Amino acid sequence: MSVYEKFGFPEVTAEAAKGMGLSASEFEGVKKLLGRMPNYIELGVISSMYSEHCSYKSSRMHLAKFPTTAPWVVQGPGENAGIIEVDSEGLCVCFKVESHNHPSFIEPFQGAATGVGGILRDVFTMGARPVAAMNSLRFGKLDKPKNRQIFEGVVAGISHYGNCFGVPTVGGEVYFNSCYDGNPLVNAFALGVVQKENIYLAKAEGLGNPVIYVGAKTGRDGIHGATMASEEFNENSESKRPNVQIGDPFKEKLLLEACLELMKTDYIVGIQDMGAAGLTSSSFEMASKSGSGVRLDLDMVPMREKGMNPYEIMLSESQERMLMVAKKGYEDKVKAIFDKWDLDAVVIGEVTNDGYVRLFWDGEEVAALEAAPLADEAPKYNRPYARGEYMDELQRLPKVDAPSNLQKVLEDLLANETIASKRWVWNQYDHMVRVGTVQLPGSDAAVIRLNESEKGIAISSDCNSRFCLLNPYEGGKAAIAESARNVAVSGARPRAFTNCLNFGNPEKPDIMWQFVSAVEGMAEAAKVLETPAISGNVSLYNETEGKPIYPTPTIVMVGVFDDVTKRIGSYFTSMESAVYLIGENTGYIGGSEYLAAVHGYERGDAPEVDLEREKNIIDFMCDAADKRLVKAAHDVSEGGLAVALCEMCFGGDNVGVNVKLESGIRADALLFGENHGRVILEIDVNNAQVVTALAEKYNLPISKIGRTCSGLIEIANKSEKVISAKVSDLEKIWKNSIGDRMK
Amino acid sequence: MKAGVVVFPGSNCDHDCYHVLKHVIGAETVFLWHKDTDLQGVDLVVFPGGFSYGDYLRCGAIAKFSPIVSEVIKFAENGGHVLGICNGFQVLTESGLLPGALMRNRGLKFKCEYVNLRVDNSDTPYTNMYADGEVIRIPIAHADGNYYIDEEGMKELEENKQIVFRYCDENGTAEDDSNPNGSLGNIAGIINKKGNVLGMMPHPERCAEGVMETRDGYFLFESIAKFIGGCK
């Protein structure tokens, strides 16, 4: 009896392939590619590689539309994370955002925790030390106990992992909408610092070089996780809890320190983290990128439990593991470093040159697959797409009556969980470890100084998914524009972004249309704003019982400061400053939080984004920050002008604002409309002329709308007072809303 | 002053303390690896924040058995200066260098925010640049900072002026409203009877430079550097 036969694997049939997520035509394609029937181990490997999660088979041809190059881009898409240069001396930052939606619904705490763990590994695999983490989170409304439970668990999981690992979680975004009821989104972002000459890539080069397995032992957790992440949810999803991995942040911290110590030496050739599809994707990707081959002795892999077989080992998604290729003869030196950190480091194979990944057990070959075709030539679909017929109805803006009490509306919006302060969330994250956080959470962008120098970066995560539902093209543009605007408003120059494209089932033409339109909108905005995509991921099949989430292409934009002391905060800093508005109030309320929360309509075409205007705002803000002309700045987004003004008063110093508008727009639309291209500025009165002239230089409309004052928020239009409240009263509503709901 | 920052495998504020001591204060500073027993002739040992050995057990409970901690205990008994911050404070109570214990926060959650502290004893090597009763703002970041001690122990702390920092409001009133974690007597930091070992939950290293939210933590490091002498 051969070794393979001893495992007693089931027979390979079309049915078995389907159980692993391969369609009938894909199964036929596999047989044709191999020229034979795969065995059971091979089938498992192939189905993982062909999963939507690993192969991007529905999205690849559209992702090619993103701009991906610029003089400052060092590494674009295709590696574990992208890299841009921060200064002329080779200081670089490496970053990526990735989804962990499906695991987080099934098991919120571990799902979110391992999402953080995975993205941190993606960053330090490149040789970069993680210095900042962020999250984009989406949940159903908090009045449902199930949503509160998921929210609580996800935040606790992120807190658990990030805090122990020692990376500051410096900000992010949290949205609540009933479209996420059965399908929360957890998109984890991490950013690390690396010198250009110290970047590591996933390579398996040098015939005979040892392949070394490092980190935690392999268990049966997460088997076929990548396949699970490529399916819709149904009532049986909870039974997939064993597919969710368990995270150990302490182990990951050890792995980080050991890897970075090793990377200072010249002992290794390449390194790859074992993320989705574990040993399968790491070994195939390394072999295919280098055009080499790999032999793995799977019985040498450190195992957590007895009786595991090659199939399970190849597909396990146990966390905190890395695969690396060392130089021959340096095995003991590599091991000594891992010994110091009490971690396993075991030679499990070697680099070959026949283009194959060959798997052995007890010295006998149990599977052999050619690496390149599987890694690079996975199925690629041009899925049909068409605008849904329901779009006409959705885009029709309903007529609504103006509420009689606008102050009550403002209070309701400030208490609305999407708008309310996220203090309850970020209080649970260590956001200051590594002494780099020079802008505490709550502002438009997080600001980090790098290596204790004056160099710094600003990060903002944004996506208004309601806009993307109502008009995916404009919504996609808006996600890029808003994230870039937020970075610029903090004083930094937006340089590049990473994205996480969360959509429903791409096999439905209307969903595919959302995807294609959003990607095209984002690509257009990215071109105009000169911010290429450098990394990202796609999460499809975000549906439960056939109900899709709103299209949610999360953008995380990164900007650069030459001098981080020139950063601009979002809170008013002092009394008797002048308050200016850049841009114009159009009074358009389609897709607004106001229309949804107060009138119950998630309707109307999304507001249009004027990309030339947005580019000018970015240039203006960078120029003004460089000249230190702005005391505070905040962009106008959810909740419109009135909410933005209030938020600027909530810095804790009881500075209020007195605003006088002269507009013919109906008061509710004026206060709460969400048209783009607007920024509120706090300016020292002595700088008013200079700032006005600067805005004109960039062709931006600018108007004085009021001044800061002590303790009151007052807004009047054409001498009619519409809002008059104490800062402390409104701040209390805004600040406590989420915490109170979670008691 | 020569300072040594202890590195347990799960320490994550080691780098921050090293940075402040070396680059902001200007002290000669070294890292002390947890498996080592040589204190390299330092004058001050810092136990930094973090999760020493993962802290899946009681925080700091495993750290007390490490080779370096045995040496630091001897060093402290001989009058050497030891500062424990956050997880470092937990290591100090677990290893018996300071009395009392740090339990799970009463809100059961990790909490990271700036808090007000009242300096209740400025007559220590670590606080001589503050004034008695001064209110300073320093951030906390912990899940287990709820200080507890029995009645007798508390009496002793009070009598010997061992309570150095208390959580308070902006006016210096230490009441329940301004207590972030449930600590008995709003205690945020204590010193041993001899006055050479200080433990505190808040992180002074996170606010020791002008670019941060406050610079109130700087003076703690400057106090001990001046006390020991020979910096810059």
Side-chain angles (χ1 to χ4, degrees), chain A residues 94-124:
Chain A
C94 168
F95 58 90
K96 187 182 181 187
V97 62
E98 195 163 71
S99 61
H100 231 225
N101 306 334
H102 293 74
S104 301
F105 173 67
I106 293 170
E107 162 52 46
F109 183 95
Q110 290 297 345
T114 53
V116 174
I119 198 69
L120 288 168
R121 277 195 306 286
D122 277 334
V123 164
F124 71 79

mmCIF file of all heavy atoms in Angstrom, chain A residues 94-124:
data_model
loop_
_atom_site.group_PDB
_atom_site.id
_atom_site.type_symbol
_atom_site.label_atom_id
_atom_site.label_comp_id
_atom_site.label_asym_id
_atom_site.label_seq_id
_atom_site.Cartn_x
_atom_site.Cartn_y
_atom_site.Cartn_z
ATOM 1 N N CYS A 94 4.971 50.881 4.256
ATOM 2 C CA CYS A 94 4.441 49.693 3.614
ATOM 3 C C CYS A 94 3.044 49.472 4.188
ATOM 4 O O CYS A 94 2.880 49.483 5.406
ATOM 5 C CB CYS A 94 5.387 48.555 4.006
ATOM 6 S SG CYS A 94 4.811 46.924 3.652
ATOM 7 N N PHE A 95 2.028 49.354 3.358
ATOM 8 C CA PHE A 95 0.685 49.208 3.941
ATOM 9 C C PHE A 95 -0.295 48.430 3.078
ATOM 10 O O PHE A 95 -0.116 48.293 1.874
ATOM 11 C CB PHE A 95 0.097 50.574 4.303
ATOM 12 C CG PHE A 95 -0.023 51.553 3.159
ATOM 13 C CD1 PHE A 95 -1.172 51.611 2.377
ATOM 14 C CD2 PHE A 95 1.015 52.429 2.885
ATOM 15 C CE1 PHE A 95 -1.290 52.530 1.343
ATOM 16 C CE2 PHE A 95 0.909 53.360 1.846
ATOM 17 C CZ PHE A 95 -0.241 53.404 1.073
ATOM 18 N N LYS A 96 -1.328 47.968 3.739
ATOM 19 C CA LYS A 96 -2.383 47.210 3.060
ATOM 20 C C LYS A 96 -3.620 47.131 3.960
ATOM 21 O O LYS A 96 -3.498 47.155 5.184
ATOM 22 C CB LYS A 96 -1.896 45.792 2.770
ATOM 23 C CG LYS A 96 -2.875 44.997 1.908
ATOM 24 C CD LYS A 96 -2.393 43.588 1.669
ATOM 25 C CE LYS A 96 -3.375 42.852 0.782
ATOM 26 N NZ LYS A 96 -3.043 41.436 0.656
ATOM 27 N N VAL A 97 -4.776 47.031 3.341
ATOM 28 C CA VAL A 97 -6.004 46.746 4.095
ATOM 29 C C VAL A 97 -6.557 45.432 3.569
ATOM 30 O O VAL A 97 -6.411 45.110 2.392
ATOM 31 C CB VAL A 97 -7.041 47.885 3.968
ATOM 32 C CG1 VAL A 97 -7.503 48.085 2.536
ATOM 33 C CG2 VAL A 97 -8.240 47.659 4.897
ATOM 34 N N GLU A 98 -7.147 44.651 4.461
ATOM 35 C CA GLU A 98 -7.664 43.347 4.058
ATOM 36 C C GLU A 98 -8.933 43.024 4.838
ATOM 37 O O GLU A 98 -9.066 43.398 5.983
ATOM 38 C CB GLU A 98 -6.597 42.288 4.318
ATOM 39 C CG GLU A 98 -6.894 40.986 3.621
ATOM 40 C CD GLU A 98 -5.646 40.109 3.551
ATOM 41 O OE1 GLU A 98 -5.240 39.610 4.611
ATOM 42 O OE2 GLU A 98 -5.096 39.950 2.460
ATOM 43 N N SER A 99 -9.816 42.289 4.182
ATOM 44 C CA SER A 99 -11.093 41.971 4.822
ATOM 45 C C SER A 99 -10.986 40.716 5.677
ATOM 46 O O SER A 99 -10.207 39.816 5.384
ATOM 47 C CB SER A 99 -12.144 41.731 3.742
ATOM 48 O OG SER A 99 -11.754 40.635 2.947
ATOM 49 N N HIS A 100 -11.751 40.678 6.726
ATOM 50 C CA HIS A 100 -11.949 39.443 7.486
ATOM 51 C C HIS A 100 -13.422 39.361 7.872
ATOM 52 O O HIS A 100 -13.773 39.122 9.019
ATOM 53 C CB HIS A 100 -11.027 39.401 8.711
ATOM 54 C CG HIS A 100 -10.250 38.126 8.796
ATOM 55 N ND1 HIS A 100 -10.082 37.404 9.938
ATOM 56 C CD2 HIS A 100 -9.605 37.412 7.829
ATOM 57 C CE1 HIS A 100 -9.362 36.326 9.681
ATOM 58 N NE2 HIS A 100 -9.062 36.314 8.416
ATOM 59 N N ASN A 101 -14.265 39.580 6.857
ATOM 60 C CA ASN A 101 -15.699 39.711 7.092
ATOM 61 C C ASN A 101 -16.362 38.410 7.505
ATOM 62 O O ASN A 101 -17.077 38.341 8.501
ATOM 63 C CB ASN A 101 -16.390 40.201 5.821
ATOM 64 C CG ASN A 101 -15.769 41.471 5.288
ATOM 65 O OD1 ASN A 101 -15.191 42.237 6.055
ATOM 66 N ND2 ASN A 101 -15.878 41.692 3.990
ATOM 67 N N HIS A 102 -16.134 37.389 6.725
ATOM 68 C CA HIS A 102 -16.859 36.143 6.965
ATOM 69 C C HIS A 102 -16.512 35.547 8.326
ATOM 70 O O HIS A 102 -17.406 35.218 9.099
ATOM 71 C CB HIS A 102 -16.606 35.166 5.813
ATOM 72 C CG HIS A 102 -17.195 35.628 4.513
ATOM 73 N ND1 HIS A 102 -16.632 36.644 3.788
ATOM 74 C CD2 HIS A 102 -18.287 35.228 3.828
ATOM 75 C CE1 HIS A 102 -17.368 36.849 2.688
ATOM 76 N NE2 HIS A 102 -18.373 35.997 2.688
ATOM 77 N N PRO A 103 -15.214 35.431 8.667
ATOM 78 C CA PRO A 103 -14.892 34.894 9.995
ATOM 79 C C PRO A 103 -15.468 35.758 11.121
ATOM 80 O O PRO A 103 -15.848 35.236 12.165
ATOM 81 C CB PRO A 103 -13.359 34.918 10.032
ATOM 82 C CG PRO A 103 -12.918 35.025 8.620
ATOM 83 C CD PRO A 103 -14.017 35.697 7.873
ATOM 84 N N SER A 104 -15.537 37.061 10.913
ATOM 85 C CA SER A 104 -15.990 37.942 11.993
ATOM 86 C C SER A 104 -17.488 37.826 12.247
ATOM 87 O O SER A 104 -17.971 38.161 13.327
ATOM 88 C CB SER A 104 -15.638 39.395 11.686
ATOM 89 O OG SER A 104 -14.242 39.526 11.526
ATOM 90 N N PHE A 105 -18.227 37.387 11.251
ATOM 91 C CA PHE A 105 -19.651 37.156 11.492
ATOM 92 C C PHE A 105 -19.839 35.862 12.278
ATOM 93 O O PHE A 105 -20.613 35.791 13.224
ATOM 94 C CB PHE A 105 -20.418 37.079 10.169
ATOM 95 C CG PHE A 105 -21.858 36.674 10.343
ATOM 96 C CD1 PHE A 105 -22.743 37.516 10.994
ATOM 97 C CD2 PHE A 105 -22.323 35.450 9.888
ATOM 98 C CE1 PHE A 105 -24.074 37.163 11.192
ATOM 99 C CE2 PHE A 105 -23.647 35.073 10.057
ATOM 100 C CZ PHE A 105 -24.523 35.933 10.721
ATOM 101 N N ILE A 106 -19.069 34.851 11.896
ATOM 102 C CA ILE A 106 -19.230 33.542 12.522
ATOM 103 C C ILE A 106 -18.706 33.560 13.949
ATOM 104 O O ILE A 106 -19.311 32.992 14.862
ATOM 105 C CB ILE A 106 -18.509 32.478 11.656
ATOM 106 C CG1 ILE A 106 -19.258 32.352 10.322
ATOM 107 C CG2 ILE A 106 -18.458 31.140 12.362
ATOM 108 C CD1 ILE A 106 -18.533 31.532 9.299
ATOM 109 N N GLU A 107 -17.591 34.205 14.181
ATOM 110 C CA GLU A 107 -16.984 34.236 15.516
ATOM 111 C C GLU A 107 -16.311 35.618 15.665
ATOM 112 O O GLU A 107 -15.133 35.772 15.327
ATOM 113 C CB GLU A 107 -15.997 33.051 15.618
ATOM 114 C CG GLU A 107 -14.968 33.109 16.708
ATOM 115 C CD GLU A 107 -15.522 33.368 18.103
ATOM 116 O OE1 GLU A 107 -16.510 32.736 18.483
ATOM 117 O OE2 GLU A 107 -14.964 34.238 18.788
ATOM 118 N N PRO A 108 -17.089 36.639 16.119
ATOM 119 C CA PRO A 108 -16.619 38.030 16.053
ATOM 120 C C PRO A 108 -15.250 38.269 16.694
ATOM 121 O O PRO A 108 -14.398 38.930 16.096
ATOM 122 C CB PRO A 108 -17.707 38.809 16.796
ATOM 123 C CG PRO A 108 -18.922 37.962 16.684
ATOM 124 C CD PRO A 108 -18.449 36.540 16.650
ATOM 125 N N PHE A 109 -15.027 37.736 17.886
ATOM 126 C CA PHE A 109 -13.785 38.053 18.595
ATOM 127 C C PHE A 109 -12.573 37.511 17.845
ATOM 128 O O PHE A 109 -11.668 38.248 17.471
ATOM 129 C CB PHE A 109 -13.848 37.481 20.023
ATOM 130 C CG PHE A 109 -12.643 37.818 20.874
ATOM 131 C CD1 PHE A 109 -12.661 38.914 21.716
ATOM 132 C CD2 PHE A 109 -11.499 37.029 20.828
ATOM 133 C CE1 PHE A 109 -11.548 39.235 22.496
ATOM 134 C CE2 PHE A 109 -10.387 37.340 21.598
ATOM 135 C CZ PHE A 109 -10.416 38.439 22.429
ATOM 136 N N GLN A 110 -12.565 36.196 17.584
ATOM 137 C CA GLN A 110 -11.405 35.597 16.921
ATOM 138 C C GLN A 110 -11.319 36.022 15.457
ATOM 139 O O GLN A 110 -10.231 36.180 14.905
ATOM 140 C CB GLN A 110 -11.442 34.064 17.026
ATOM 141 C CG GLN A 110 -11.185 33.534 18.420
ATOM 142 C CD GLN A 110 -9.795 33.868 18.959
ATOM 143 O OE1 GLN A 110 -8.900 34.258 18.214
ATOM 144 N NE2 GLN A 110 -9.620 33.735 20.258
ATOM 145 N N GLY A 111 -12.470 36.188 14.834
ATOM 146 C CA GLY A 111 -12.471 36.601 13.429
ATOM 147 C C GLY A 111 -11.771 37.938 13.261
ATOM 148 O O GLY A 111 -10.921 38.111 12.387
ATOM 149 N N ALA A 112 -12.130 38.897 14.118
ATOM 150 C CA ALA A 112 -11.518 40.224 14.025
ATOM 151 C C ALA A 112 -10.061 40.172 14.467
ATOM 152 O O ALA A 112 -9.193 40.781 13.847
ATOM 153 C CB ALA A 112 -12.298 41.222 14.875
ATOM 154 N N ALA A 113 -9.785 39.432 15.542
ATOM 155 C CA ALA A 113 -8.413 39.350 16.061
ATOM 156 C C ALA A 113 -7.472 38.801 14.998
ATOM 157 O O ALA A 113 -6.405 39.360 14.742
ATOM 158 C CB ALA A 113 -8.365 38.470 17.314
ATOM 159 N N THR A 114 -7.877 37.728 14.329
ATOM 160 C CA THR A 114 -6.979 37.128 13.344
ATOM 161 C C THR A 114 -6.910 37.980 12.071
ATOM 162 O O THR A 114 -5.925 37.905 11.335
ATOM 163 C CB THR A 114 -7.397 35.684 13.006
ATOM 164 O OG1 THR A 114 -8.770 35.685 12.624
ATOM 165 C CG2 THR A 114 -7.205 34.772 14.200
ATOM 166 N N GLY A 115 -7.936 38.804 11.848
ATOM 167 C CA GLY A 115 -7.853 39.764 10.746
ATOM 168 C C GLY A 115 -6.710 40.742 10.993
ATOM 169 O O GLY A 115 -5.922 41.051 10.095
ATOM 170 N N VAL A 116 -6.614 41.213 12.225
ATOM 171 C CA VAL A 116 -5.521 42.114 12.588
ATOM 172 C C VAL A 116 -4.183 41.380 12.470
ATOM 173 O O VAL A 116 -3.218 41.895 11.891
ATOM 174 C CB VAL A 116 -5.712 42.651 14.033
ATOM 175 C CG1 VAL A 116 -4.507 43.473 14.470
ATOM 176 C CG2 VAL A 116 -6.989 43.471 14.122
ATOM 177 N N GLY A 117 -4.144 40.151 12.984
ATOM 178 C CA GLY A 117 -2.903 39.367 12.929
ATOM 179 C C GLY A 117 -2.430 39.167 11.501
ATOM 180 O O GLY A 117 -1.243 39.303 11.200
ATOM 181 N N GLY A 118 -3.359 38.867 10.607
ATOM 182 C CA GLY A 118 -3.010 38.597 9.207
ATOM 183 C C GLY A 118 -2.427 39.820 8.525
ATOM 184 O O GLY A 118 -1.424 39.741 7.812
ATOM 185 N N ILE A 119 -3.037 40.957 8.758
ATOM 186 C CA ILE A 119 -2.572 42.162 8.061
ATOM 187 C C ILE A 119 -1.224 42.616 8.641
ATOM 188 O O ILE A 119 -0.369 43.119 7.909
ATOM 189 C CB ILE A 119 -3.647 43.279 8.088
ATOM 190 C CG1 ILE A 119 -3.341 44.317 7.019
ATOM 191 C CG2 ILE A 119 -3.772 43.944 9.428
ATOM 192 C CD1 ILE A 119 -3.515 43.823 5.625
ATOM 193 N N LEU A 120 -1.013 42.408 9.936
ATOM 194 C CA LEU A 120 0.292 42.749 10.521
ATOM 195 C C LEU A 120 1.389 41.889 9.898
ATOM 196 O O LEU A 120 2.465 42.375 9.557
ATOM 197 C CB LEU A 120 0.268 42.547 12.044
ATOM 198 C CG LEU A 120 -0.551 43.576 12.831
ATOM 199 C CD1 LEU A 120 -0.742 43.112 14.274
ATOM 200 C CD2 LEU A 120 0.118 44.943 12.805
ATOM 201 N N ARG A 121 1.098 40.596 9.695
ATOM 202 C CA ARG A 121 2.102 39.714 9.077
ATOM 203 C C ARG A 121 2.395 40.135 7.645
ATOM 204 O O ARG A 121 3.526 40.104 7.195
ATOM 205 C CB ARG A 121 1.634 38.254 9.095
ATOM 206 C CG ARG A 121 1.905 37.537 10.402
ATOM 207 C CD ARG A 121 1.770 36.035 10.262
ATOM 208 N NE ARG A 121 0.492 35.619 9.706
ATOM 209 C CZ ARG A 121 -0.658 35.625 10.355
ATOM 210 N NH1 ARG A 121 -0.700 36.020 11.609
ATOM 211 N NH2 ARG A 121 -1.762 35.226 9.779
ATOM 212 N N ASP A 122 1.337 40.553 6.932
ATOM 213 C CA ASP A 122 1.563 41.014 5.555
ATOM 214 C C ASP A 122 2.585 42.141 5.533
ATOM 215 O O ASP A 122 3.381 42.242 4.600
ATOM 216 C CB ASP A 122 0.248 41.521 4.945
ATOM 217 C CG ASP A 122 -0.591 40.388 4.387
ATOM 218 O OD1 ASP A 122 0.000 39.352 4.022
ATOM 219 O OD2 ASP A 122 -1.828 40.533 4.309
ATOM 220 N N VAL A 123 2.545 42.985 6.538
ATOM 221 C CA VAL A 123 3.444 44.142 6.575
ATOM 222 C C VAL A 123 4.847 43.754 7.023
ATOM 223 O O VAL A 123 5.834 44.120 6.395
ATOM 224 C CB VAL A 123 2.832 45.249 7.470
ATOM 225 C CG1 VAL A 123 3.882 46.284 7.837
ATOM 226 C CG2 VAL A 123 1.666 45.907 6.745
ATOM 227 N N PHE A 124 4.955 42.955 8.092
ATOM 228 C CA PHE A 124 6.327 42.679 8.525
ATOM 229 C C PHE A 124 7.015 41.611 7.695
ATOM 230 O O PHE A 124 8.241 41.490 7.702
ATOM 231 C CB PHE A 124 6.460 42.489 10.041
ATOM 232 C CG PHE A 124 5.916 41.253 10.687
ATOM 233 C CD1 PHE A 124 6.621 40.051 10.629
ATOM 234 C CD2 PHE A 124 4.755 41.289 11.432
ATOM 235 C CE1 PHE A 124 6.161 38.924 11.283
ATOM 236 C CE2 PHE A 124 4.272 40.167 12.085
ATOM 237 C CZ PHE A 124 4.973 38.979 12.008
#
